[in-house]
Amino acid sequence: MQLIQQTADLSAYVAADEAIDHHHPLVRDTAARLAAGVADSYEYARAAFEFVRDTIPHSQDSGDLRVTWRASDVLEQGTGICYAKAHALAALLRAEDIPTALCYQNLGVVHGLVAVRFRGAWHRQDPRGNKPGVDARFSLDGERLAFTPDPASNEMDYPVLYAAPHPVVLNALRAAVDRPHLWRTLPTAL
């Protein structure tokens, strides 16, 4: 699949916004801590991915009822669904000037992930969190995502790389009073 940038301006993919608030002190402190133990931006990207994937539980898996959507809230509360975890990873990567896009799959409901730009190309990464049957890994040599869409079930990868969270996703997160409410109102298409 060919990934399509929403905008040709790469600076949009390192910008902060309300959800990807990489200027927030908690995001900056977390980024600095992760950067201290690595040699280059590639190692940093892997460390940030593994940090979000492994230390912030997916709220559905953990049973956490809270809904987070802003990167700093995900880091502070230590929980989030796929969209929120993607926002947190994007903020950590952008804090270190690594171009990061938000991208989505349709798996019956919309699933969120990110793409990072290295070696002149975009590489999708899924920080959702592993569990039995899900083994997502950071990779620039072929995708290692949590899920593969099934075209026979009308599932698909959306090719657009967004500089900011898709409004449909952000509206669903903001409107949810808790995770069960969010689960009933998850977007089914973009």
Side-chain angles (χ1 to χ4, degrees), residues 91-163:
L92 289 172
L93 295 171
R94 290 180 181 189
E96 292 295 314
D97 293 320
I98 297 171
T100 307
L102 298 163
C103 45
Y104 302 94
Q105 297 175 311
N106 187 320
L107 305 169
V109 295
V110 175
H111 173 63
L113 48 155
V114 304
V116 295
R117 188 163 178 90
F118 278 108
R119 303 178 190 153
W122 290 99
H123 306 273
R124 294 189 309 163
Q125 314 295 328
D126 192 341
R128 181 228 179 268
N130 290 337
K131 63 179 187 173
V134 175
D135 185 26
R137 298 186 185 256
F138 185 85
S139 175
L140 302 183
D141 301 316
E143 293 185 336
R144 298 290 308 271
L145 304 178
F147 306 107
T148 302
D150 176 13
S153 299
N154 294 320
E155 296 179 350
M156 64 179 280
D157 288 307
Y158 290 108
V160 176
L161 300 171
Y162 294 92

Side-chain angles (χ1 to χ4, degrees), residues 165-176:
H166 194 285
V168 168
V169 167
L170 204 49
N171 290 341
L173 287 169
R174 285 179 171 160

Side-chain angles (χ1 to χ4, degrees), residues 2-185:
Q2 176 149 350
L3 298 173
I4 304 164
Q5 287 181 211
Q6 180 187 28
T7 177
D9 182 4
L10 275 181
S11 69
Y13 296 98
V14 292
D17 63 30
E18 191 176 9
I20 304 171
D21 57 343
H22 65 73
H23 56 279
H24 190 280
L26 180 56
V27 177
R28 288 289 182 189
D29 290 347
T30 305
R33 191 173 65 251
L34 292 168
V38 299
D40 58 28
S41 61
Y42 173 78
E43 286 185 24
Y44 173 81
R46 178 188 298 278
F49 170 84
E50 290 173 354
F51 173 81
V52 173
R53 181 194 66 189
D54 298 343
T55 66
I56 299 171
H58 188 285
S59 57
Q60 176 69 15
D61 296 348
S62 68
D64 197 318
L65 299 180
R66 296 173 293 169
V67 175
T68 54
W69 57 271
R70 186 178 288 119
S72 58
D73 293 338
V74 173
L75 296 175
E76 178 188 5
Q77 295 181 36
T79 191
I81 68 163
C82 61
Y83 312 131
K85 291 183 69 162
H87 299 169
L89 179 56
L92 289 172
L93 295 171
R94 290 180 181 189
E96 292 295 314
D97 293 320
I98 297 171
T100 307
L102 298 163
C103 45
Y104 302 94
Q105 297 175 311
N106 187 320
L107 305 169
V109 295
V110 175
H111 173 63
L113 48 155
V114 304
V116 295
R117 188 163 178 90
F118 278 108
R119 303 178 190 153
W122 290 99
H123 306 273
R124 294 189 309 163
Q125 314 295 328
D126 192 341
R128 181 228 179 268
N130 290 337
K131 63 179 187 173
V134 175
D135 185 26
R137 298 186 185 256
F138 185 85
S139 175
L140 302 183
D141 301 316
E143 293 185 336
R144 298 290 308 271
L145 304 178
F147 306 107
T148 302
D150 176 13
S153 299
N154 294 320
E155 296 179 350
M156 64 179 280
D157 288 307
Y158 290 108
V160 176
L161 300 171
Y162 294 92
H166 194 285
V168 168
V169 167
L170 204 49
N171 290 341
L173 287 169
R174 285 179 171 160
V177 295
D178 59 20
R179 189 181 36 77
H181 177 266
L182 178 61
W183 238 240
R184 292 189 303 272
T185 60

